[in-house]
Amino acid sequence: MSAVPVAHRTVDVNGIRTFYREAGPADGPVVLLPHGYPSSSFQFRNLMPALGDRWRLLAPDLPGFGYTRADADHFPYTFDAYASFLRRFTEALGLRRYAIYLHDFGSQFGLRLAISAPERVAALVIQNGDIYEDQHGPKYAPLKKMWADPSPYALAAVAAHVSEQGFRDEFVGEVPEEIAERISPDLWTLSWAQVGQPPGPANLVRLLADQRTTVQWFPRQQAYLREHRPPTLVVWGPYDGYMPEGAARAYLRDLPDAELHLLDGGHWLLETRLAEVVSLMRDFLGRVHP
């Protein structure tokens, strides 16, 4: 099977010119790919052509990331705003049913989309996107300190990591050296080139500070999973200082029938275990979202 081409397009979403990548047949079953922090749709550049023979894959650059520009006067850089934006993106493209890939911050936006219209969700693929506070890893510590005391001093401590080196640390993380060398430096150099100029870093600090609001959503998200039981594939890289193995296994509390696969990788699993993820997704989506 040869890889299919990926198209690069824009669409107006609530007055914001939004860049997105698309692959696959226009009438194919949709797979929605909201990206994580501090990346963009670029993180799905290899996944999309590998699945585009059967599925229509859509990966937007969310405001302030990648090629979607939005200043703070027109976009507030809160989790509520991003969740609303993702919903409006689906409306702008006329999407009626979709599987959602839930990763990092994108898991928050995607789950809120699912809660808002559960009848449209065909399936979930969860990859290092956490909703269980008791399973948060040690890397959350400085963020939680800031959430508890959002003083200028605490904000400054986190802002210091909104840098090219800080982005590198996010991508390389805690994976062993033999795995880390497979993670392309293009990830952090491109991300920083796109958001590193003012007011980009300040907008990202605002978003990181607002991350504290996600915790109050966890019970609702867990309740959604219990009530609606969407077909779910959990693929996880346990070398993750934010979301270790326990964060993956916690999903079985609310989705005991979910398929769980722990792969030898970290937070950015598509960079190091792409073939395994593609194989698992093809099998899973072929059964539940053909």
Side-chain angles (χ1 to χ4, degrees):
M1 181 190 67
S2 59
V4 303
V6 176
H8 305 89
R9 298 179 169 136
T10 60
V11 63
D12 182 275
V13 180
N14 203 32
I16 296 176
R17 185 173 179 267
T18 302
F19 174 91
Y20 69 100
R21 301 171 197 255
E22 179 171 355
D27 59 351
V30 172
V31 180
L32 186 62
L33 304 165
H35 63 79
Y37 171 93
S39 195
S40 65
S41 63
F42 183 74
Q43 78 176 77
F44 300 112
R45 69 199 181 281
N46 297 318
L47 179 70
M48 298 178 73
L51 295 175
D53 61 314
R54 292 181 60 182
W55 292 276
R56 181 189 181 195
L57 297 109
L58 295 162
D61 280 357
L62 300 171
F65 295 93
Y67 299 107
T68 300
R69 310 298 186 205
D71 60 45
D73 291 335
H74 295 90
F75 189 81
Y77 290 90
T78 64
F79 277 77
D80 283 349
Y82 277 103
S84 175
F85 183 88
L86 183 63
R87 177 178 55 79
R88 290 177 181 273
F89 174 79
T90 66
E91 292 169 352
L93 293 185
L95 307 182
R96 299 301 178 193
R97 189 160 175 80
Y98 34 73
I100 313 174
Y101 191 100
L102 303 175
H103 173 252
D104 193 83
F105 282 10
S107 65
Q108 285 298 309
F109 316 142
L111 276 172
R112 295 196 203 183
L113 174 66
I115 290 171
S116 71
E119 73 282 358
R120 296 187 176 181
V121 178
L124 301 176
V125 178
I126 306 174
Q127 190 258 295
N128 294 71
D130 60 336
I131 62 169
Y132 297 91
E133 187 177 11
D134 65 309
Q135 295 300 321
H136 278 171
K139 212 166 180 178
Y140 269 110
L143 286 170
K144 290 189 173 184
K145 184 177 181 180
M146 177 184 65
W147 300 346
D149 173 27
S151 65
Y153 176 80
L155 287 171
V158 171
H161 295 282
V162 181
S163 64
E164 185 171 350
Q165 180 60 42
F167 281 14
R168 180 189 182 280
D169 292 342
E170 293 289 336
F171 286 111
V172 175
E174 296 70 42
V175 298
E177 184 176 353
E178 65 271 17
I179 298 177
E181 65 186 13
R182 298 171 62 182
I183 300 176
S184 173
D186 295 333
L187 284 164
W188 57 86
T189 55
L190 175 61
S191 293
W192 184 247
Q194 291 172 325
V195 305
Q197 296 300 314
N203 291 336
L204 296 187
V205 172
R206 183 179 294 110
L207 177 60
L208 290 170
D210 189 66
Q211 191 180 0
R212 67 183 182 275
T213 64
T214 64
V215 176
Q216 69 193 32
W217 275 87
F218 289 176
R220 280 180 273 184
Q221 291 162 343
Q222 295 160 15
Y224 159 77
L225 297 178
R226 288 194 302 274
E227 178 181 353
H228 294 281
R229 297 291 181 95
T232 300
L233 170 68
V234 181
V235 288
W236 208 273
Y239 299 119
D240 189 337
Y242 290 111
M243 308 168 196
E245 179 177 331
R249 294 192 181 278
Y251 278 97
L252 299 180
R253 302 173 188 172
D254 299 306
L255 290 171
D257 297 327
E259 300 178 31
L260 171 62
H261 299 268
L262 299 171
L263 304 183
D264 189 23
H267 193 76
W268 300 91
L269 204 56
L270 297 180
E271 298 300 314
T272 61
R273 292 292 181 265
L274 177 69
E276 292 96 321
V277 174
V278 168
S279 178
L280 290 167
M281 287 185 65
R282 291 187 72 85
D283 176 68
F284 171 70
L285 293 174
R287 287 183 280 112
V288 304
H289 191 40

